[in-house]
């Protein structure tokens, strides 16, 4: 699995919004702008349903909202960075979320879903990555940081085992 084909530069950004709801909407709307065939309203509904089950704020300033969505044939990752923090995200550790990584896969892509979650967490755990992301100027810089950082390998490494 190659992050270069999944992480979407156009859909990654420094977030304008500072609330959980608005940040999720901002990222979903960006996806809709670039992937026009997607039903963003249905996507938002599914993302918010997922958040009602349990917050995707995993702690350490990171949230990973994720869904399996019928309107997607190929996995997509969007990244939003909010250096000021999103204090209402209800993160597991109670801390404000500063990095939101949205993962959307097709309904039948359970294996890909799990692999992407693992790959992204691995990237974010690499030394200095979170701090660098918080200083990123735009989506291109955000993607470059995530695509060139890993656990000893490139972003294109084979995650199939």
């Amino acid at each position: 699995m190659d992050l270069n084909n999944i992480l979407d530069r156009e859909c990654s950004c420094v977030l304008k919004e500072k609330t959980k709801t608005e940040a999720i909407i901002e990222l979903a709307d960006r996806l809709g702008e670039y992937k026009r065939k997607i039903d963003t309203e249905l996507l938002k509904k599914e993302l918010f349903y997922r958040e009602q089950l349990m917050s995707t704020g995993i702690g350490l300033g990171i949230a990973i909202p994720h869904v399996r969505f019928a309107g997607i044939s190929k996995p997509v990752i969007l990244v939003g960075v909010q250096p000021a923090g999103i204090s209402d995200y209800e993160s597991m550790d109670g801390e404000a979320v500063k990095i939101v990584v949205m993962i959307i896969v097709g309904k039948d892509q359970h294996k890909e879903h799990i692999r992407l979650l693992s790959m992204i967490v691995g990237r974010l755990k690499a030394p200095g990555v979170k701090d660098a992301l918080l200083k990123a100027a735009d989506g291109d810089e955000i993607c470059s940081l995530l695509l060139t950082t890993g656990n000893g390998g490139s972003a294109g490494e084979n995650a199939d085992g």
Side-chain angles (χ1 to χ4, degrees), residues 1-3 6 111-116 118-119 154-161:
M1 192 174 292
D2 187 348
L3 279 183
I6 299 169
K111 197 184 289 187
E112 292 88 342
H113 190 183
I114 299 301
R115 286 183 182 149
L116 288 173
S118 175
M119 289 172 81
S154 72
E157 70 190 33
N158 186 346
D160 291 330

Side-chain angles (χ1 to χ4, degrees), residues 10 51 53 57 75-76 81 90 99 105 134 136:
E10 291 85 15
E51 288 297 324
L53 296 175
V76 178
V81 176
E90 301 170 311
I99 300 167
V105 299
L134 295 177

Side-chain angles (χ1 to χ4, degrees), residues 69-114:
F69 185 66
I72 292 285
S73 59
K74 175 184 131 179
V76 178
I77 296 175
L78 304 93
V79 182
V81 176
Q82 176 44 270
I86 301 168
S87 60
D88 71 340
Y89 212 99
E90 301 170 311
S91 189
M92 287 180 168
D93 62 2
E95 296 296 317
V97 165
K98 296 183 178 186
I99 300 167
V100 180
V101 181
M102 185 178 286
I103 299 175
I104 306 165
V105 299
K107 280 283 189 199
D108 298 327
Q109 296 178 327
H110 181 72
K111 197 184 289 187
E112 292 88 342
H113 190 183
I114 299 301

Side-chain angles (χ1 to χ4, degrees), residues 20 46-56:
K20 176 181 180 173
E46 290 195 24
L47 285 163
F48 290 122
Y49 175 74
R50 170 63 185 86
E51 288 297 324
Q52 286 178 353
L53 296 175
M54 183 177 169
S55 176
T56 57

Side-chain angles (χ1 to χ4, degrees), residues 20-87:
K20 176 181 180 173
T21 298
E22 293 300 319
I24 289 172
I25 289 171
E26 183 177 347
L27 285 175
D29 284 344
R30 285 184 75 88
L31 180 62
E33 287 175 33
Y34 295 100
K35 309 272 187 200
R36 299 186 197 283
K37 294 178 184 175
I38 188 168
D39 182 345
T40 55
E41 294 309 311
L42 182 57
L43 175 63
K44 290 175 203 174
K45 183 178 175 182
E46 290 195 24
L47 285 163
F48 290 122
Y49 175 74
R50 170 63 185 86
E51 288 297 324
Q52 286 178 353
L53 296 175
M54 183 177 169
S55 176
T56 57
I58 63 170
L60 302 173
I62 301 167
I64 306 179
H66 54 280
V67 293
R68 286 185 278 164
F69 185 66
I72 292 285
S73 59
K74 175 184 131 179
V76 178
I77 296 175
L78 304 93
V79 182
V81 176
Q82 176 44 270
I86 301 168
S87 60

